[in-house]
Amino acid sequence: MDSQPTANPMSLVDRTVIVTGAAQGIGRAVADLVVALGGNVVIADMNGDALEAAKAEYPEGRYLGVKANIANAAEVDALVQYAVDTFGAVHGLVNNAGITRPAMLSKMTLQEWDQVISVHLTGAFLCSQAVGNHMIERAKAGDPNPGSIVNISSDAGVQGTIGQVNYATAKAGIIGMTMSTAREWAKYNIRANCVAFGVVVTPMTETVRSEKFAETYLSRIPLGRWSSAEEAAKPVCFLLSDAASFITGQRLSANGGMQMAG
């Protein structure tokens, strides 16, 4: 008897996902995988040139690039409405946008603090609120699977870091935001989870991976290597998909064992 083909539980066919800060790095890899899994992707980024260049690399009708400051409520609302108008609905959100402004705590300026908190935390809040309200409307209209939110956190948010108290605080806040979102919106079957990365090969981690620090960091990673951006995209898309249909409010650590939860 011939075996029947098994449906792909990670399929994103007919789903639209907004990924913030996705002109490069992890966000871009997530966008690529969303499309490879059959979905439509909306990339929100401040780099308009990169958004325009990306257009040629995606299937026609499956990509939308929007230049937007995610820390601006009006621009976030416009972003979500544009995505809905283009694709009919938004089924997933990846709060990936982030920046770093390194400085020791005793010397960090208020501006350096505010900039990082604004992009990471305020941006994730505004995007979650705008997309979440759209998902809630669909849930109330009878959609049994209105969507999934995935926030990008970091090991820094659970163990701290030296020289980036703003970043570590923001990433810790993302974890709390994830759990609160999951509790509030579970009644609508809207799931919220986060992925906490260790060291991923992106422009943001060049200093950590430099000759000066690489040996120290690699010695703390049991798998003994960095993660690629393409590897990092996989757990994010897992949480977006039906493969994670009974998972919400969780922090998934994708760090090669660098930080292990008890």
Side-chain angles (χ1 to χ4, degrees):
M1 180 178 176
D2 293 337
S3 60
Q4 295 297 313
T6 302
N8 178 9
M10 283 189 62
S11 172
L12 296 175
V13 172
D14 296 328
R15 298 188 187 180
T16 296
V17 179
I18 294 176
V19 187
T20 68
Q24 63 179 2
I26 295 172
R28 181 60 186 272
V30 169
D32 290 348
L33 187 52
V34 166
V35 172
L37 290 168
N40 308 313
V41 69
V42 180
I43 292 179
D45 202 282
M46 292 289 287
N47 189 335
D49 292 339
L51 293 174
E52 186 60 32
K55 186 176 181 180
E57 300 180 24
Y58 291 100
E60 186 175 357
R62 303 264 303 283
Y63 165 79
L64 178 65
V66 182
K67 185 176 181 179
N69 175 6
I70 61 162
N72 182 293
E75 292 190 32
V76 169
D77 288 342
L79 159 69
V80 175
Q81 189 59 55
Y82 194 10
V84 172
D85 291 344
T86 301
F87 294 112
V90 174
H91 308 88
L93 167 66
V94 180
N95 282 312
N96 167 77
I99 62 171
T100 58
R101 296 292 185 268
M104 298 302 285
L105 175 59
S106 60
K107 297 181 179 180
M108 183 173 289
T109 66
L110 182 58
Q111 182 181 29
E112 289 168 336
W113 170 269
D114 285 342
Q115 286 176 332
V116 171
I117 297 299
S118 179
V119 173
H120 287 269
L121 272 180
T122 303
F125 162 73
L126 291 173
C127 290
S128 295
Q129 187 179 62
V131 171
N133 284 338
H134 161 72
M135 291 177 175
I136 289 170
E137 287 181 5
R138 295 199 350 262
K140 289 181 176 178
D143 190 335
N145 190 15
S148 172
I149 296 170
V150 181
N151 298 318
I152 304 303
S153 186
S154 166
D155 281 353
V158 293
Q159 64 185 20
T161 186
I162 295 174
Q164 294 194 74
V165 65
N166 46 8
Y167 180 82
T169 301
K171 290 308 189 184
I174 286 291
I175 296 170
M177 184 185 299
T178 298
M179 294 185 288
S180 295
T181 303
R183 289 189 182 279
E184 285 197 21
W185 290 348
K187 63 184 177 183
Y188 302 112
N189 200 33
I190 297 170
R191 297 181 296 106
N193 294 284
C194 72
V195 181
F197 291 112
V199 182
V200 181
V201 179
T202 69
M204 193 177 288
T205 64
E206 285 180 354
T207 300
V208 168
R209 294 182 288 106
S210 68
E211 186 176 348
K212 182 178 180 180
F213 299 108
E215 185 176 348
T216 298
Y217 276 90
L218 283 171
S219 69
R220 296 165 52 198
I221 302 174
L223 288 182
R225 60 179 176 82
W226 316 122
S227 168
S228 68
E230 292 72 23
E231 191 172 31
K234 295 175 184 178
V236 175
C237 288
F238 162 69
L239 291 171
L240 287 170
S241 75
D242 287 346
S245 59
F246 201 58
I247 301 175
T248 195
Q250 302 303 308
R251 169 175 59 89
L252 173 58
S253 293
N255 55 23
M258 188 174 182
Q259 196 277 335
M260 299 186 185

